[in-house]
């Protein structure tokens, strides 16, 4: 990275390597530097935003993701992360359109379909939640333990359609 003159692409590769090795602080610092440079690397904005969400810094996540949307407005990862940040901020209904836009750019992403299902569930849209959840599982979402315990699905957990989806996952 030093030899490249802090090239954002090289920094992004380093940040991903740091993250995968468990050096989250170094990864976060590298993502922050990429964002500070104003690089058009969607993963830097999405990953930094999601790291801030994990830390409970919802406002910081929304800030970096909004900046990312200006730099790379059609990035599925940034659109989806922004929708998720809105949902985590207590506005799941406002997150839904952003998640839907991310799925227009990258159809069938199982993690985003799962997150969309959660937003629908939190917004009281049970049929939409179950439909999105079914599509997530069909597309490969496979964390049955998370689904069974995820509090966002509390309102639909007793629905037979939810049980069927969960049983289908456990049968794999």
């Amino acid at each position: 990275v030093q030899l490249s003159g802090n090239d954002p692409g090289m920094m992004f590769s380093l940040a991903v390597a740091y993250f995968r090795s468990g050096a989250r602080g170094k990864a976060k610092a590298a993502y922050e530097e990429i964002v500070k440079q104003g690089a058009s690397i969607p993963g830097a904005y999405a990953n930094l935003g999601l790291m801030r969400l994990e830390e409970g810094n919802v406002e910081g996540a929304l800030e970096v993701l909004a900046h990312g949307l200006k730099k790379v407005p059609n990035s599925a990862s940034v659109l989806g992360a922004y929708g998720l940040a809105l949902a985590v901020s207590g506005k799941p209904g406002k997150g839904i359109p952003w998640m839907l836009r991310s799925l227009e750019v990258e159809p069938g992403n199982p993690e985003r379909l799962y997150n969309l299902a959660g937003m629908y569930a939190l917004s009281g849209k049970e049929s939409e939640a179950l439909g999105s959840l079914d599509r997530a599982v069909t597309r490969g979402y496979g964390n049955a333990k998370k689904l069974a315990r995820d509090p966002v699905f509390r309102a639909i957990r007793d629905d037979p359609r939810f049980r069927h989806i969960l049983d289908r996952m456990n049968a794999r």
Side-chain angles (χ1 to χ4, degrees), residues 67-76 78-79 98 101 105:
H67 183 64
L69 287 170
K70 290 177 186 168
K71 296 298 286 184
V72 283
N74 293 316
S75 163
V78 178
L79 289 162
W98 294 97
R101 281 185 57 198
V105 175

Side-chain angles (χ1 to χ4, degrees), residues 49-50 53 58 61-62 65 80-91 119:
L50 293 172
L53 271 184
V58 178
L62 287 168
L65 292 166
Y82 189 73
L84 185 60
L86 285 169
V88 170
S89 76
K91 302 171 189 163
M119 291 177 202

Side-chain angles (χ1 to χ4, degrees), residues 89-110:
S89 76
K91 302 171 189 163
K94 290 189 183 236
I96 291 170
W98 294 97
M99 194 61 72
L100 287 171
R101 281 185 57 198
S102 80
L103 287 162
E104 287 173 10
V105 175
E106 188 181 303
N109 180 293

